[in-house]
Amino acid sequence: MTLKQRPTERVGLYDPAYEHDACGVAFVARLDGGRTRETVDHAIQALENLEHRGAEGADPETGDGAGILMQIPDAFFRNFVGDELPPAGAYGVGVVFLPQDETCSAEFEACIDRAVAAEGQRVIRWRDVPTDKDFCGLTALYHRPYVKQVIIAASDELAADPDAFERKLYVIRRVAELEAGPDLVIPTLSSRTIVYKGMLTPIQLQHYFPDLLSPLMQTSLALVHSRFSTNTFPSWELAHPYRMIAHNGEINTLRGNVNWMRARESQLRSELFGDELEKVLPSVRPGGSDSATLDNVLELLVLAGRSLPHAMMMLIPEAFEGRDDMSDELKAFYAFHACFMEPWDGPAAVAFTDGRVIGATLDRNGLRPGRWLETKDGWVIVGSESGMLEVDPANVARKGRLEPGKLFLVDVEQGRIVPDVEVKGDVARARPFGDWFEQGGVHLDDLPERGNAFTCEGTLAERQLAFGWSAEDLRLILLPMARDAAEPTGSMGNDLALAMLSDKSPPLFDYFKQLFAQVTNPPIDPIR
């Protein structure tokens, strides 16, 4: 293997003792929308410079994951397929991870073929994706899938409607996944974007997939990720980017988010999907990580007709209550959507793209780093830290950092960075969310009067004891709320007996616990 290795000893300011961190995420975009090979080169360079944010296990050549998400390189596939390939946008490309067992692999291919035919589309060709085993660690090699690409032509009806074709490809993928079961992995199936990823280190990625070295691999935007697996074991499937996002952080509300999504699926309706919605449920693929689950829900929201910024604002809202620096329309947007979508709370830095726009956001707590830079010659670079690409200071037009709850959005079709206030203002004013919230909301004051359903005799202390209140509850929870109108805070340590085993009459809510992901939160800087 001829890969450059990290220093194993101190060199200058470098000390391997500090070689630990969270995931690395970055994207590169051309403001003029021109699709170039240079975009891929910049993205790969940024990824390799984020290698220290990824991780390896006992096998140092097996990474937790690295990958790149970009627009479908039309020239590359046109060179492979020839005249049979429809115009760009009228065909989709699926990346499929198949088992090494030839019989099982053939069955899965047939399953996808059946799904394509059943949905009225046509498979043009299957393609074996070249890979180089010399650039893959032993552990990754043992688990590696057989990677193929399937190229699907749109029917005449859908060829004229790119959004409808994209939805149809989503239906095809979900139908195949549900029929074949969890062993069939389709990292992406889209008419706009394509993913190359795996259990690799950042430096291995473009060597393992020689496609990425082709001069025909051209795009105007590219999203890359170096993974540090904290909540799941590394795997080929769970490497980032996913179909729309790359994520640095954890979703601490994951169990509740997934349960609520499953609970509301019986009420989901979509004019765009119609009866086909039943074919894609459940929307969340079992066994996925917190990031994969977020990607599943984001994909469904966008394909059901929402813009990508709209869906991101629903899933990762900024803090809005009690603020006087936010418009009433935006507050109404968040209040309305809070009625049926819970925040997917981090800490999280999420980069996202649908092949038309690309952007990034931090959750409302802002406990993940993010820097952005725009050059005078039309490049936008965003990532976990500064210095991912060498840029002449004289070529820097402007730069900054991602802010909690704010959207940083690049529209390559319009050729500009769209300000957060403009993006959110357009979304918030698109519908009368405030009116809908007022019409559908029920206030406690509006409820009819009821008599006491339960009475408890005795002194205040006896009644508090009967309802499970302790002196600690009164001092740490009730007192600051009553005295300061403040959110109660305390340590996360809890040495009390489990509610089901306690003889202290714990209150009902003590029987329920929130499932937290393993977090790597830095301490909050008191200066900021």
Side-chain angles (χ1 to χ4, degrees), residues 259-271 274 277-278 281 300 306 339-342:
N259 287 343
W260 277 113
M261 281 302 299
R262 292 299 303 272
R264 64 171 63 96
E265 281 180 351
S266 63
Q267 297 179 304
L268 293 182
R269 301 289 184 273
S270 170
E271 293 181 0
L277 187 62
E278 295 296 325
L281 299 179
L300 180 63
R306 296 170 180 83
C339 296
F340 56 87
M341 177 58 71
E342 310 72 32

Side-chain angles (χ1 to χ4, degrees), residues 359-441:
T361 188
L362 300 184
D363 72 299
R364 52 192 171 181
N365 296 310
L367 295 178
R368 282 294 180 268
R371 300 284 176 178
W372 64 268
L373 181 149
E374 179 187 356
T375 67
K376 294 178 181 177
D377 57 351
W379 291 98
V380 179
I381 305 160
V382 177
S384 298
E385 57 197 58
S386 301
M388 296 174 299
L389 295 177
E390 288 190 19
V391 177
D392 184 348
N395 190 30
V396 176
R398 50 181 174 154
K399 60 183 179 179
R401 65 182 179 89
L402 301 181
E403 300 179 39
K406 303 297 184 182
L407 286 178
F408 182 90
L409 189 72
V410 181
D411 190 327
V412 295
E413 294 182 345
Q414 295 184 20
R416 68 190 183 105
I417 298 173
V418 189
D420 171 86
V421 64
E422 179 182 339
V423 176
K424 292 179 177 175
D426 289 346
V427 172
R429 290 189 294 269
R431 298 286 188 274
F433 296 113
D435 294 341
W436 292 348
F437 179 71
E438 289 299 326
Q439 293 167 8

Side-chain angles (χ1 to χ4, degrees), residues 152-165:
I152 302 171
S155 63
D156 293 340
E157 178 185 0
L158 296 185
D161 190 343
D163 292 338
F165 182 47

